[in-house]
Every structure is written in structure tokens, then in C-alpha cells.
Amino acid sequence: MHQQQNLIPAIAEICISPIQEVQALRILIYRGEATCRQYLRSVLVKQRQTS
């Protein structure tokens, strides 16, 4: 559980839209930390491609 709390500030920092934040939190809750980290990585990659 402690690891998951560390991810919450990262989610807030990485996700641009509230929809992305909600999605990331849902993934964290239902699928676990590893899947959530993969999602955050994919969000970062998309941000780099668009900017």
C-alpha cells in the first residue's frame, strides 16, 4: 500500500487532464501498481510526441 501512495503525486504531476488522473487511479486500484506505471509511461510518451 505504501508504494501506491508514492504513485499518487506522480499521477497528479504526469496527467494533464482530470480524465487521465481518474483513469490512472482506477488502474492503480483495480489492476495494481505495475499496470499503473505502464499507463503513466504511455501518457508521458504521448505528451512528448504532441509537444
Side-chain angles (χ1 to χ4, degrees):
M1 187 67 192
H2 184 68
Q3 281 295 106
Q4 291 183 344
Q5 289 175 334
N6 293 342
L7 264 180
I8 292 170
I11 290 169
E13 200 174 304
I14 292 167
C15 298
I16 297 171
S17 69
I19 296 164
Q20 283 180 333
E21 284 188 36
V22 169
Q23 186 69 23
L25 287 169
R26 276 197 188 135
I27 291 169
L28 180 59
I29 292 162
Y30 294 113
R31 299 198 191 148
E33 184 194 348
T35 311
C36 185
R37 286 182 188 277
Q38 287 175 333
Y39 174 75
L40 291 176
R41 260 186 233 115
S42 73
V43 169
L44 278 172
V45 168
K46 285 178 194 158
Q47 286 175 16
R48 287 195 191 113
Q49 289 171 349
T50 55
S51 61

